[in-house]
Amino acid sequence: MTTFVINLAAIAVDVIIMSCVLLPPVFRRAAQLFRRVRRDLRRWNHERRQHRDKPQTTRSTR
């Protein structure tokens, strides 16, 4: 029984160490992607707003 508890504790320590080693690059990449998507959405909205605000006199009437 005590070896089982010791093994569980060792596994928990391994998981904590691996999460500290492996997760920061994943979070950094996710933050980078989130910033890029937010920037592109902001640019797209800005362009759409400018296009909408422009007087549409050049549209052909059929």
Side-chain angles (χ1 to χ4, degrees), residues 23-59:
L23 284 182
V26 172
F27 285 141
R28 197 174 305 124
R29 181 75 180 142
Q32 192 179 19
L33 270 174
F34 179 71
R35 278 194 299 267
R36 181 180 304 151
V37 167
R38 202 177 58 184
R39 186 187 64 212
D40 288 348
L41 275 177
R42 192 178 296 140
R43 182 183 306 139
W44 183 72
N45 277 334
H46 183 69
E47 289 173 358
R48 205 180 70 183
R49 200 174 300 124
Q50 280 184 337
H51 182 72
R52 190 183 64 203
D53 292 345
K54 216 185 315 181
Q56 297 183 354
T57 56
T58 58
R59 181 180 290 182

Side-chain angles (χ1 to χ4, degrees), residues 1-17:
M1 184 65 187
T2 56
T3 56
F4 178 70
V5 173
I6 291 173
N7 282 339
L8 276 181
I11 289 172
V13 169
D14 284 347
V15 166
I16 291 171
I17 290 173

